[in-house]
Amino acid sequence: MSETPFGVDPPAQPELRKSLSVRDGVAVAASSTAATTSIGIGLGVTAGVVGLHLPAIMLLAFLPVLGIAGAYSRLNRVEPNAGNGYVWVGRSLGPWLGFTVGWVNCVASVAFLAYTTAVTGSALLQLAGEAGVHRIGSLALDPGSTAQTTALGIVVLVAVTLTAVTGVRTAARLQTGLLAFEYAVLLAFCGYGIAMGPHPFRLAWFDPFAIPSASALAQGLLLSVFCYWGFEAAFTVNEEVRDPRDASRAGTITLVTMLGVFLLGSVAFQRVLSEPELADHGAQGLAYFGDRLASQPWAVLPLVALMFSAVASLQAGVIPTARGMFAMSRDRTLGPVWSKVSPRYGTPAAGTLLIGALSVAVAVLSLVIPRLSDMITATVNAVGIVVSLSYALTALAAAVRFRSALREDWRLGVRAVVLPTLSAAALLGLGGYLGWSFYSSADHLEVSADNGWFLLLMPLLMIASGFVVAAWAKWVRRSPYFRTGEGTDADSRQLLSSPN
């Protein structure tokens, strides 16, 4: 019996239930991107680096991410696979790099889930404070405490994980409802803030050359890439959409929508808040923004939207991560538990529960950083670096796979080869520069968001752990992926016949 390129005979492969439409894919991807959370928290962190140039950095970061999105869409057209970058990079650039992409995506997602768990708890505690509940017994409630926010957020994480087990369609419906509310509130408050904000609008906000330094530009770009991170969640469910092209449409729609929302939010925040106010309020940034614009009870609506966004992104984070592990397990690079499909729900139920459990464990470990704002800063920087690496390798895989297009149709070659290559080079250069700036900014290691060595150590550990697990898969598990995972050129005729 012949084998597939990954050594598994097709009839033996577990299959996921096809139940999603373009709208469902957009709901999953938009929830994973978590625009309200990114605006409410990420803008403050980014403003602390680039100052009052949030619109400029969001526009600038969109350009390489757009090139990455094009690479994802074209690769998805010729090979829909829940493993997406892990499979595509393995075929085109080699199995070790392919495994690295799959692994860092999963590890970064678990770190993101741990961070979002604390954000969710913080939003709930802020809501309790708005309702007049400031103490429970002798315990004073503190939305800035990592311990309190993590404990409360874990309860929510368990609940959304169980919901994700029952089916991605059920999860998508829940996310659609949450998204509708949070976007309505976000658009209303941002629109009002742009119209009524006390600070004058300035074109200089859109000038990237006015950013204080090259290191601030690099760090700001990676923080902004982190804000866009999540649009590719549409491709992790590409085996569950009715038409694989729907995954490409959903990813593109989500990314363009995020650009509009981030520009709207960044201009609104800078119209309403000063630079110190933007940088100093961290996880409470959106609540402070609401208080500046409206009186109660209306001022609490942005905080409710933040809570809904955090809950939706928790669930959206669990879903694509479980699918990525499912694909890796199917290729025997991870253990069989990750590819067990529930006969009742048609989902990788065991893997989904494991992702939830691992996220809880990482959330507990994060308690070594007592202040929530410091934990957010450290996590966002680490995830930004590894996500940029993953994006860059996937874009390079597309450029290698479709390189024949340069000879057959130069216009298509520019879109399918040149732009992804430039996007990959930009992200790799940014990641390398930021890593060097972290290294050179300190002379000792300490667990602190202000310590450059600590900020560099986190992404290095994420990447290095992948090589350890890959070595186990190759030499102990003897996964055929490491013998036959190197790919071949895509059929250029298939590319040329696909819609541009």
Side-chain angles (χ1 to χ4, degrees):
M1 183 177 295
S2 63
E3 291 187 336
T4 66
F6 292 100
V8 181
D9 191 63
Q13 291 186 348
E15 294 185 357
L16 299 172
R17 187 172 298 162
K18 296 183 181 295
S19 60
L20 301 183
S21 63
V22 174
R23 188 182 68 176
D24 297 324
V26 170
V28 171
S31 296
S32 185
T33 307
T36 306
T37 303
S38 296
I39 288 174
I41 296 173
L43 290 187
V45 174
T46 308
V49 176
V50 302
L52 295 178
H53 301 286
L54 292 174
I57 207 71
M58 286 296 174
L59 272 172
L60 206 57
F62 178 76
L63 298 178
V65 176
L66 182 62
I68 304 300
Y72 269 87
S73 294
R74 285 188 166 80
L75 288 165
N76 181 70
R77 289 171 194 163
V78 299
E79 187 178 11
N81 191 294
N84 52 77
Y86 152 77
V87 173
W88 301 330
V89 174
R91 287 185 181 278
S92 297
L93 303 182
W96 283 87
L97 289 178
F99 186 92
T100 299
V101 168
W103 179 257
V104 298
N105 277 335
C106 293
V107 173
S109 295
V110 169
F112 168 76
L113 287 168
Y115 136 83
T116 309
T117 294
V119 170
T120 305
S122 177
L124 289 170
L125 289 177
Q126 290 177 67
L127 280 173
E130 295 290 348
V133 180
H134 300 286
R135 304 184 68 89
I136 296 179
S138 60
L139 177 65
L141 299 181
D142 179 10
S145 164
T146 304
Q148 292 185 27
T149 57
T150 297
L152 188 56
I154 284 173
V155 177
V156 180
L157 175 60
V158 170
V160 298
T161 301
L162 293 176
T163 304
V165 166
T166 63
V168 68
R169 174 67 173 156
T170 304
R173 286 174 176 170
L174 173 62
Q175 288 162 1
T176 300
L178 296 177
L179 281 170
F181 175 83
E182 67 177 84
Y183 272 55
V185 171
L186 188 65
L187 293 176
F189 270 78
C190 287
Y192 185 67
I194 289 175
M196 304 301 293
H199 301 288
F201 174 84
R202 300 183 185 278
L203 285 176
W205 293 348
F206 292 83
D207 182 9
F209 297 101
I211 292 173
S213 66
S215 61
L217 176 65
Q219 188 173 4
L221 281 171
L222 284 186
L223 290 172
S224 301
V225 168
F226 172 82
C227 289
Y228 286 111
W229 178 48
F231 79 90
E232 75 281 2
F235 299 97
T236 64
V237 294
N238 57 17
E239 293 183 41
E240 295 164 90
V241 293
R242 301 184 186 101
D243 182 343
R245 289 174 296 183
D246 288 349
S248 297
R249 296 186 187 108
T252 303
I253 290 170
T254 301
L255 183 59
V256 173
T257 301
M258 291 305 103
L259 171 64
V261 171
F262 290 151
L263 287 178
L264 181 71
S266 59
V267 172
F269 267 55
Q270 293 189 181
R271 283 275 284 142
V272 174
L273 305 178
S274 66
E275 184 175 345
E277 288 174 326
L278 270 169
D280 292 345
H281 282 84
Q284 288 83 46
L286 194 58
Y288 186 76
F289 177 77
D291 285 336
R292 289 290 302 272
L293 282 176
S295 57
Q296 297 297 349
W298 303 110
V300 80
L301 288 177
L303 189 54
V304 176
L306 174 63
M307 182 192 68
F308 281 4
S309 175
V311 170
S313 61
L314 277 177
Q315 189 177 66
V318 169
I319 290 170
T321 309
R323 271 66 184 170
M325 304 293 255
F326 168 86
M328 296 173 78
S329 174
R330 188 171 55 187
D331 298 337
R332 303 211 306 271
T333 57
L334 294 179
V337 65
W338 297 99
S339 57
K340 289 183 178 179
V341 176
S342 166
R344 179 178 179 183
Y345 300 116
T347 64
T352 302
L353 292 173
L354 277 173
I355 290 296
L358 287 172
S359 301
V360 168
V362 173
V364 172
L365 288 175
S366 70
L367 296 179
V368 297
I369 305 177
R371 291 181 65 240
L372 178 61
S373 58
D374 289 344
M375 192 266 279
I376 289 173
T377 300
T379 304
V380 169
N381 276 293
V383 171
I385 289 177
V386 298
V387 166
S388 294
L389 174 64
S390 170
Y391 278 171
L393 290 176
T394 304
L396 290 176
V400 170
R401 189 161 187 173
F402 302 136
R403 62 185 181 273
S404 62
L406 287 170
R407 298 188 301 271
E408 300 180 22
D409 183 335
W410 70 269
R411 293 181 183 84
L412 183 59
V414 168
R415 294 194 298 271
V417 181
V418 176
L419 292 181
T421 301
L422 292 176
S423 298
L427 291 182
L428 289 174
L430 286 171
Y433 181 82
L434 186 59
W436 172 254
S437 68
F438 284 158
Y439 174 77
S440 59
S441 68
D443 57 6
H444 68 286
L445 176 66
E446 62 178 86
V447 181
S448 168
D450 297 325
N451 184 266
W453 285 15
F454 176 69
L455 293 177
L456 180 59
L457 180 63
M458 291 178 65
L460 289 179
L461 286 176
M462 291 180 181
I463 296 168
S465 63
F467 285 100
V468 173
V469 179
W472 181 273
K474 176 178 172 64
W475 286 296
V476 178
R477 202 179 297 282
R478 299 186 181 278
S479 167
Y481 173 84
F482 288 93
R483 295 196 304 273
T484 56
E486 340 175 31
T488 58
D489 278 330
D491 185 348
S492 61
R493 290 173 299 177
Q494 186 175 14
L495 172 65
L496 293 168
S497 65
S498 65
N500 295 328

